Amino acid sequence: MSDVTMEATTILPILKKKLAFLSGGKDRRSGLILTIPLSSDQTSMEELSATLDYLLSIPSEKCKARGFTVIVDGRKSQWNIVKTVVLMLQNVIPAEVSLVCVVKPDEFWDKKVTHFCFWKEKDRLGFEVILVSANKLTRYIEPCQLTDDFGGSLDYDHNDWLNKRLVFEKFTKESTSLLDELSIINDSDKSSSVDKDKSADCALLPSCDPETVLQTGHELLSELQQRRFNGSEGGGGGQGGPAWCPMEEELLAQPQVMKLLDSLREQYTRYQELCRQRNKRTQLDEIHTKVMQVVTWLQGPGSELLKTHQAIGDSMRAAQALQQKHEEIESQHSEWFAVYVELNQQIATLLSAGEEEEVVELKALQQQLSDVCYRQAAQLENRQNVLQAAQGFHSTTQELSQQLDGLLGMLCADVAPADGASIQQNLKLLEEKLQTVEAGLSSLRQKGALLLEQMCSQPSWSLEETESPAGEQQDNVQHIQGVMDEMQLRKQRCEDMVDVRRLKMLQMVQLFKCEEDALQSVEWLGELLDALLKTHVRLGDDSQETRTMLDKHRKFVDVAQSTYDYGRQLLQATVVLCQSLRCTTRSSGDTLPRLNRVWKQFSVSAEERQQRLELALNFHNAAERVLQQECVEPDSLDEVDSSGKILLDRLTLPVIFPDGTEQFFGSPSDTAAAAEGVRERLLLVEERRLQLQEARLHNREEEEVLNGQEARLEVIGEELSEKEDQEEEEEVGVEVEVGQQDEELERATQDC
């Protein structure tokens, strides 16, 4: 591989014009094909010469020895330019050119060619020049080695080739420079003692990042190995010619890139080891310095901060202020604890790969740092626990004090509820507040005990190092105990007041209950009276039904009597409760007159109802006797009529109450229905009366007929007696005659 004498970046604008290019195609002699595509514009010979110089510096000497086949595409150019380019090749690359193929237009140059024949100038030029049409170019070069401009199948992207070339040259330049720097750095470490200060470390830094250069080289090598460097994915060989491969060593830079990568990796590995050793020594010094800084601060200012803050405050606000101050102290410690964590990780990393002497030193530093940090962290945690317990204690104290104030305010307020339900609600609220106070006091005791436990649970080493006076700790304990005792005393006073208020409220509940039940008794008694007057109208259709209704009426009256007695007892209890509660003005004062008035009305109505039922019972009993007996006295019938008329008259009368008001039983239709039943029974009795009268008349007639018949029968009897006597006499005469005849017959028989 020849050295690159020119960089693409210096003539990048010229290379972008694509005045000439190496497509990667080869002729039948395996020589590279150099293509010069002339355009219709005027071509600068200086730029073309620079492009050719750069392109010819890329292949190796071995590749150049095979010669180049130059394709001058003059189809879009003038003849004089083509001639100038061909002659310029003699000055630029006469030894490397084997064949120049000038691609001509189909008809335009025919006459002009006769004035200059390149084949005659072969000896002077040093290479053979032929004029050929584009479609006949395949006589000299295989189609697979030609680009599509000449009807071939070879892919070529000039921009892609130029980009890859720029990457290759950049990598070559950077890697070569980096190798020199790394070699100097690595060799300098062997010939001189290692300086431990930071200036020596800064001198070890190369000008560019080796990782970036290596990554660039690997990416470039990957591109080369994938056959993309020269703008193609590959190609096949022509008939009778060698197989074309754009990644061969004479055209591409794989060996050079691989060699540079290997050398760079070797030097970079040595450089990393050198840096690692230097960093390790620097880290040890830095770790030792930082460890001592952490230990010094924690044992000095850090410990002093904790020693001077031991109070727990006497209120929630004071405890919050102490908590805020403690958080500031924790924040200061957190910065040093973060340094501790970082140092611990660094020490652990060095221990895993350190030498024996380094391991002993590192373990000693690690142990010292851990002991100090853990002890200080334990002190911080204990102080935090005390402050949290103090805040909980003060918060519970504040809440309990507010609850006791609320309960006391409720107990001091006058009780003037409107009804029993509101009293029950107030009593329930009072009980709930008392339960809340009890729960709060229990919680206060628990949190007080927890706070005392936290204050007394400091490790012995912490208590020894803490120089706070014993009186401060004792004051804290006495304050906590005093707060709990005070809350217990306040709670006991409230309980006593609650007991008194509870008794009073229960009496008021009972008072309202008695008043409500008394009013309910009046309502019930009124309902019974209403039912008695409106529904108790029927008198029964017979004595049995009337007797049953009379029994039910007595029971009905007994229920009303019980209701009245219950109301009287409730009103008496109301009077007693009012006297106990010193409550003189109550709405129940008019309940007793109402109760007595309704009871008197009910008593009059019930008495009237009972008398009517008794009249009805007497009426039905008399009527049933009259109707059932065969022989009835007229007085009995008159008695039934009289009792029936009295009952009917009674049904038409109203009930007169003590206040002079009147009230009828039931509706007129109900009264008419009851009277109709009585009248029907009276009609039956009247029918019975008529039947009895008819029977008496009939009996008299029958007696007269019987008397006449008896007289006639006596006459007939006498006649029959006389006739019977005559017949008896006649029968006797006949019997005598017969006897005589029988005797005569018997003598005649004997005579015979």
Side-chain angles (χ1 to χ4, degrees):
M1 180 75 68
S2 63
D3 296 335
V4 177
T5 59
M6 184 183 302
E7 294 182 0
T9 53
T10 59
I11 58 170
L12 183 60
I14 299 175
L15 292 177
K16 288 183 177 180
K17 293 181 180 181
K18 195 180 178 181
L19 300 178
F21 61 88
L22 291 170
S23 64
K26 298 179 181 179
D27 56 19
R28 290 187 173 91
R29 299 186 304 275
S30 297
L32 295 178
I33 298 175
L34 175 64
T35 305
I36 303 175
L38 299 177
S39 61
S40 59
D41 299 334
Q42 186 68 29
T43 302
S44 173
M45 294 299 111
E46 291 79 5
E47 294 180 352
L48 178 60
S49 176
T51 302
L52 293 176
D53 290 340
Y54 176 76
L55 293 177
L56 293 176
S57 66
I58 296 175
S60 62
E61 295 298 329
K62 181 179 178 181
C63 183
K64 291 179 181 179
R66 296 193 189 105
F68 289 90
T69 295
V70 181
I71 300 176
V72 180
D73 188 0
R75 290 176 293 178
K76 297 181 181 180
S77 182
Q78 300 177 1
W79 165 251
N80 57 349
I81 295 176
V82 173
K83 179 180 177 182
T84 302
V85 170
V86 172
L87 294 176
M88 184 186 67
L89 293 175
Q90 180 185 12
N91 299 324
V92 178
I93 49 173
E96 286 85 359
V97 177
S98 300
L99 175 66
V100 176
C101 296
V102 179
V103 181
K104 65 176 182 176
D106 292 338
E107 300 177 357
F108 187 69
W109 288 348
D110 289 344
K111 294 181 180 180
K112 294 183 178 182
V113 172
T114 58
H115 299 286
F116 185 83
C117 296
F118 286 110
W119 64 273
K120 294 180 180 181
E121 301 292 333
K122 179 178 181 182
D123 295 336
R124 184 173 65 86
L125 295 175
F127 49 79
E128 181 182 1
V129 180
I130 60 174
L131 293 176
V132 64
S133 301
N135 55 0
K136 297 180 180 180
L137 192 59
T138 55
R139 295 179 181 178
Y140 306 96
I141 302 172
E142 296 296 333
C144 62
Q145 305 297 326
L146 293 173
T147 61
D148 57 355
D149 295 335
F150 306 107
S153 59
L154 178 63
D155 292 332
Y156 174 73
D157 186 346
H158 185 71
N159 291 330
D160 182 68
W161 175 86
L162 184 58
N163 291 334
K164 298 298 186 299
R165 190 66 195 175
L166 291 172
V167 172
F168 168 73
E169 291 182 359
K170 179 182 178 182
F171 168 73
T172 304
K173 181 178 179 181
E174 290 180 350
S175 59
T176 303
S177 175
L178 182 60
L179 280 172
D180 295 338
E181 293 178 3
L182 293 178
S183 178
I184 294 173
I185 294 172
N186 294 332
D187 293 340
S188 64
D189 184 64
K190 297 179 181 179
S191 59
S192 62
S193 60
V194 178
D195 189 4
K196 292 186 173 65
D197 58 11
K198 294 185 178 179
S199 60
D201 291 338
C202 295
L204 291 174
L205 294 177
S207 60
C208 57
D209 182 19
E211 293 288 346
T212 304
V213 177
L214 285 172
Q215 182 179 0
T216 303
H218 286 299
E219 292 175 354
L220 177 60
L221 183 61
S222 176
E223 290 288 342
L224 295 175
Q225 291 174 346
Q226 292 175 5
R227 299 185 178 184
R228 293 178 180 175
F229 179 77
N230 210 23
S232 175
E233 297 293 338
Q239 296 179 358
W244 174 78
C245 180
M247 298 303 291
E248 291 183 0
E249 114 179 84
E250 56 268 25
L251 180 61
L252 302 178
Q254 281 191 50
Q256 184 178 354
V257 173
M258 294 175 65
K259 182 178 180 181
L260 287 173
L261 285 174
D262 293 339
S263 300
L264 189 59
R265 278 193 292 266
E266 180 182 358
Q267 291 294 335
Y268 183 53
T269 302
R270 292 177 56 195
Y271 171 75
Q272 286 179 320
E273 179 63 23
L274 175 63
C275 291
R276 189 183 66 81
Q277 294 294 336
R278 286 177 174 265
N279 290 336
K280 183 185 295 185
R281 288 189 290 269
T282 304
Q283 285 180 356
L284 286 174
D285 296 338
E286 291 178 353
I287 287 173
H288 186 273
T289 302
K290 291 181 179 179
V291 167
M292 297 313 299
Q293 289 176 353
V294 173
V295 170
T296 301
W297 190 89
L298 291 179
Q299 291 181 343
S303 297
E304 289 298 325
L305 286 173
L306 289 177
K307 291 176 183 179
T308 55
H309 293 83
Q310 297 295 324
I312 62 172
D314 56 356
S315 64
M316 185 63 186
R317 181 176 299 178
Q320 289 176 348
L322 290 173
Q323 176 64 33
Q324 184 176 2
K325 182 62 179 178
H326 180 72
E327 290 175 356
E328 295 176 0
I329 296 174
E330 281 187 334
S331 178
Q332 296 178 24
H333 280 76
S334 297
E335 298 176 359
W336 293 99
F337 287 154
V339 176
Y340 158 70
V341 173
E342 181 181 357
L343 288 174
N344 202 26
Q345 293 176 351
Q346 293 177 3
I347 292 174
T349 303
L350 294 176
L351 284 174
S352 61
E355 299 179 358
E356 184 175 357
E357 295 180 357
E358 297 173 351
V359 169
V360 174
E361 181 182 358
L362 288 172
K363 284 186 176 181
L365 288 173
Q366 187 181 40
Q367 186 64 39
Q368 181 184 7
L369 181 63
S370 298
D371 292 343
V372 174
C373 288
Y374 278 118
R375 183 169 60 182
Q376 197 73 4
Q379 289 182 344
L380 285 171
E381 183 179 4
N382 181 73
R383 175 61 179 167
Q384 178 65 31
N385 294 335
V386 171
L387 288 176
Q388 288 180 351
Q391 289 187 49
F393 176 78
H394 292 309
S395 175
T396 305
T397 301
Q398 183 176 344
E399 293 177 2
L400 180 58
S401 180
Q402 294 174 355
Q403 293 168 0
L404 287 170
D405 292 340
L407 179 59
L408 184 60
M410 184 176 180
L411 292 172
C412 294
D414 293 334
V415 180
D419 51 22
S422 60
I423 295 179
Q424 291 282 5
Q425 185 67 25
N426 290 337
L427 183 59
K428 181 180 179 182
L429 180 60
L430 187 65
E431 296 291 348
E432 289 177 352
K433 283 185 175 294
L434 182 59
Q435 291 178 1
T436 303
V437 168
E438 292 177 350
L441 183 60
S442 177
S443 177
L444 181 65
R445 293 195 189 98
Q446 293 178 359
K447 293 186 177 180
L450 176 62
L451 178 56
L452 292 174
E453 180 182 356
Q454 291 291 344
M455 293 172 60
C456 299
S457 63
Q458 292 182 345
S460 58
W461 54 264
S462 177
L463 293 175
E464 291 173 358
E465 293 184 0
T466 302
E467 298 178 358
S468 60
E472 183 177 0
Q473 185 81 353
Q474 188 65 26
D475 291 342
N476 292 335
V477 174
Q478 291 178 358
H479 172 71
I480 296 170
Q481 194 63 45
V483 169
M484 291 192 292
D485 294 341
E486 179 186 358
M487 292 300 166
Q488 176 65 35
L489 183 60
R490 291 180 61 185
K491 184 251 184 184
Q492 186 62 44
R493 288 198 298 265
C494 287
E495 278 187 343
D496 296 338
M497 297 177 66
V498 166
D499 292 338
V500 176
R501 177 57 62 88
R502 184 188 297 112
L503 178 60
K504 183 177 181 179
M505 296 180 74
L506 289 176
Q507 287 179 344
M508 295 187 69
V509 170
Q510 189 175 4
L511 173 61
F512 278 109
K513 182 63 176 175
C514 290
E515 291 177 349
E516 292 176 1
D517 291 347
L519 290 174
Q520 186 66 46
S521 299
V522 175
E523 293 178 3
W524 287 344
L525 200 56
E527 292 174 358
L528 292 175
L529 175 60
D530 191 61
L532 176 62
L533 292 173
K534 291 183 178 180
T535 61
H536 293 205
V537 181
R538 292 185 67 252
L539 299 175
D541 296 333
D542 52 29
S543 61
Q544 182 64 32
E545 185 178 1
T546 302
R547 188 175 292 104
T548 303
M549 294 178 69
L550 187 59
D551 293 338
K552 290 182 178 179
H553 175 72
R554 292 191 181 97
K555 294 179 180 178
F556 185 76
V557 173
D558 292 340
V559 172
Q561 181 69 46
S562 300
T563 304
Y564 172 71
D565 295 340
Y566 178 62
R568 292 277 299 184
Q569 294 173 2
L570 291 173
L571 291 175
Q572 291 175 0
T574 301
V575 173
V576 176
L577 290 173
C578 285
Q579 293 174 353
S580 176
L581 294 171
R582 295 181 180 85
C583 181
T584 57
T585 57
R586 295 301 303 168
S587 60
S588 60
D590 60 344
T591 305
L592 181 59
R594 290 177 55 193
L595 180 64
N596 291 330
R597 183 173 61 255
V598 175
W599 173 246
K600 289 178 181 179
Q601 291 177 354
F602 182 85
S603 299
V604 173
S605 301
E607 182 64 25
E608 177 63 25
R609 172 64 176 170
Q610 184 168 358
Q611 291 178 4
R612 291 185 181 188
L613 288 174
E614 289 176 351
L615 288 174
L617 181 60
N618 294 332
F619 169 73
H620 285 303
N621 286 333
E624 289 173 358
R625 285 195 302 271
V626 169
L627 294 175
Q628 292 175 1
Q629 292 178 359
E630 295 181 359
C631 183
V632 179
E633 296 296 331
D635 295 337
S636 299
L637 295 174
D638 294 338
E639 181 183 354
V640 173
D641 290 337
S642 176
S643 62
K645 291 178 180 179
I646 293 172
L647 182 56
L648 290 174
D649 293 339
R650 195 64 173 266
L651 290 176
T652 60
L653 298 176
V655 179
I656 300 175
F657 295 137
D659 58 358
T661 58
E662 297 180 354
Q663 180 72 38
F664 286 93
F665 278 95
S667 63
S669 59
D670 295 335
T671 304
E676 185 64 25
V678 176
R679 291 191 184 94
E680 289 179 357
R681 182 56 67 93
L682 287 175
L683 288 176
L684 292 177
V685 172
E686 187 63 26
E687 290 178 358
R688 180 61 174 166
R689 183 191 298 274
L690 294 176
Q691 290 177 359
L692 291 176
Q693 290 177 356
E694 291 177 356
R696 289 191 187 98
L697 292 176
H698 181 69
N699 289 336
R700 290 174 185 172
E701 291 178 355
E702 286 183 351
E703 287 179 357
E704 292 177 356
V705 172
L706 288 175
N707 291 332
Q709 290 178 350
E710 287 179 354
R712 287 195 299 272
L713 288 175
E714 288 179 356
V715 175
I716 294 172
E718 291 178 353
E719 291 179 354
L720 289 174
S721 297
E722 291 178 356
K723 189 176 181 178
E724 288 177 355
D725 291 341
Q726 290 177 2
E727 289 179 354
E728 287 179 357
E729 290 178 357
E730 289 178 357
E731 289 178 357
V732 170
V734 172
E735 288 179 355
V736 171
E737 290 179 357
V738 171
Q740 292 175 355
Q741 290 176 2
D742 289 336
E743 289 178 355
E744 291 178 359
L745 181 57
E746 185 178 356
R747 283 190 305 269
T749 302
Q750 290 177 356
D751 291 338
C752 291

